[in-house]
């Protein structure tokens, strides 16, 4: 249509054709349109010819600005064939109410299309259908159904190794990253481009080395896709006009469980999530993970304790932990809170033995009380035994109350807290039955 129009008008000569196929008309940062503007500024062209107003763009404010402000400023003749607009032969055609009205209709068409597409995609997400262009590392699209994922067998062992190194060997993200790079394993971007031959671009990679980074390892360890869940809707564009991508709050993500075959079992995945909350850096000297890594917290600022080594006056080396806030930030923000590893181990061992002995003592006390209560009928002895039992009830009740603080201070796990709590309650109940029977 454009070529025929030019053939019918001897005053028009083609300089170039600007095509932005695949780009939305609501965005004027289109490559060819930007080239058109550059040719305008350089004086290479003095006329812009389009089929209709929608071919210039579908943002009614921007289209109006170009027609009424930009093109006249550069003395550019604007022609829209089907809309009978010609700013040179018929200047008033650009100023009629029909031009902004048609631009508004073109804009509304984009808005309506955007709503329909979003609604359709949201429906697919809720069904657990994969709608992304590229699946997560370790999966590929099912050739029979592009909305279903199947395991990429060429890298499935890499995924399993990453979780095994983290959960069972205690390696942190940096250590895992080093190991993968030492083994010469391509990172997910390199695998998709070179081995799967996909048209995949990661603009965060500046070169073509395709090496692993700690953030890549972290994303894999936190991705529920590996336990068979499909989680989508983590990002979205502002609107059909503003194409800036923003993160979506986690509570708004769309998660559907058991949509495909898992690579990692749920227990291993949950352990990895727990480890991600801890500082589990492996010592660069010993290449071993400290037994206290990620557990020690400053009692005041609640920040992690850092492990350091030093030498005393006798020349003996020793290790100790110190508050990270005090050491790294300022001694005005927190106090030193240092403790030798030797003293720490003694204190923890003493606490463990205390709980073990407490459990043994409680069982023995109950057995003794039950045995004595069944054989003795002397009123005075019985009264003394009742007082003794009441004292034991009070003692065990105190132990029960301290359990909650031990749990909150992370001295014991939640499972241990519940186990001890239940045992103490059972012991108290048995003692009460002996007292009031």
């Amino acid at each position: 249509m454009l070529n025929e129009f030019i053939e019918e008008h001897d005053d028009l000569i083609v300089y170039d054709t600007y095509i932005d196929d695949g780009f939305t008309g609501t965005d004027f940062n289109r490559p060819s349109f930007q080239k058109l503007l550059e040719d305008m500024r350089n004086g290479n062209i003095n006329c812009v010819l389009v089929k209709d107003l929608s071919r210039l763009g579908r943002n009614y404010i921007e289209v109006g600005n170009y027609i009424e402000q930009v093109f006249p400023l550069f003395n550019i003749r604007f022609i829209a064939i089907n809309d009978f607009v010609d700013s040179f032969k018929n200047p008033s055609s650009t100023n009629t109410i029909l031009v902004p009205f048609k631009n508004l209709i073109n804009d509304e068409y984009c808005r309506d299309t955007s709503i329909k597409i979003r609604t359709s995609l949201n429906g697919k997400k809720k069904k657990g259908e994969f709608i992304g262009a590229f699946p997560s590392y370790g999966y590929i699209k099912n050739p029979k159904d592009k909305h279903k994922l199947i395991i990429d067998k060429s890298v499935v062992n890499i995924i399993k190794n990453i979780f095994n190194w983290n959960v069972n060997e205690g390696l942190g993200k940096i250590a895992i990253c080093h190991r993968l790079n030492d083994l010469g394993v391509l990172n997910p971007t390199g695998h998709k481009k070179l081995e799967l031959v996909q048209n995949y671009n990661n603009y965060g990679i500046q070169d073509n080395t395709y090496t692993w980074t700690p953030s890549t390892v972290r994303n894999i360890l936190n991705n529920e896709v590996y336990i068979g869940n499909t989680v989508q809707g983590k990002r979205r564009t502002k609107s059909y006009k503003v194409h800036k991508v923003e993160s979506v709050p986690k509570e708004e993500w769309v998660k559907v469980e058991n949509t495909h075959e898992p690579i990692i079992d749920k227990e291993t995945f949950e352990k990895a999530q727990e480890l991600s909350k801890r500082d589990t850096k492996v010592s660069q000297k010993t290449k071993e993970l400290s037994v206290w890594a990620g557990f020690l917290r400053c009692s005041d600022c609640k920040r992690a304790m850092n492990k350091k080594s030093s030498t005393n006056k006798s020349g003996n080396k020793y290790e100790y932990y110190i508050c990270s806030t005090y050491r790294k930030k300022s001694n005005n923000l927190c106090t030193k809170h240092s403790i030798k590893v030797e003293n720490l181990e003694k204190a923890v061992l003493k606490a463990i033995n205390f709980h073990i002995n407490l459990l043994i003592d409680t069982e023995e006390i109950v057995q003794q009380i039950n045995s004595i209560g069944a054989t003795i009928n002397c009123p005075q002895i019985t009264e003394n035994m009742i007082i003794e039992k009441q004292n034991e009830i009070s003692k065990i009740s105190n132990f029960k109350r301290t359990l909650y603080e031990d749990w909150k201070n992370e001295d014991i796990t939640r499972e241990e807290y519940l186990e001890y709590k239940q045992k103490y309650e059972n012991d108290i109940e048995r003692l009460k039955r002996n007292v009031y029977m």
Side-chain angles (χ1 to χ4, degrees), residues 275-294:
L275 287 172
S276 68
K277 300 174 184 177
R278 297 170 46 197
D279 179 7
T280 55
K281 295 179 181 177
V282 175
S283 171
Q284 295 300 313
K285 294 181 180 179
T286 64
K287 301 298 181 182
E288 294 179 354
L289 180 68
S290 170
V291 68
W292 308 109

Side-chain angles (χ1 to χ4, degrees), residues 392-402 424 428:
E392 291 300 330
I393 291 173
S394 177
K395 179 181 177 181
I396 297 174
S397 296
N398 289 332
F399 289 150
K400 178 186 171 185
R401 280 192 291 271
T402 60
Y424 291 157
I428 292 171

Side-chain angles (χ1 to χ4, degrees), residues 259-278:
T259 57
H260 52 268
E261 182 182 357
I263 296 176
I264 305 298
D265 62 87
K266 291 185 179 181
E267 182 180 359
T268 301
F269 183 81
E270 290 301 328
K271 288 181 180 178
Q273 305 319 298
E274 289 298 323
L275 287 172
S276 68
K277 300 174 184 177
R278 297 170 46 197

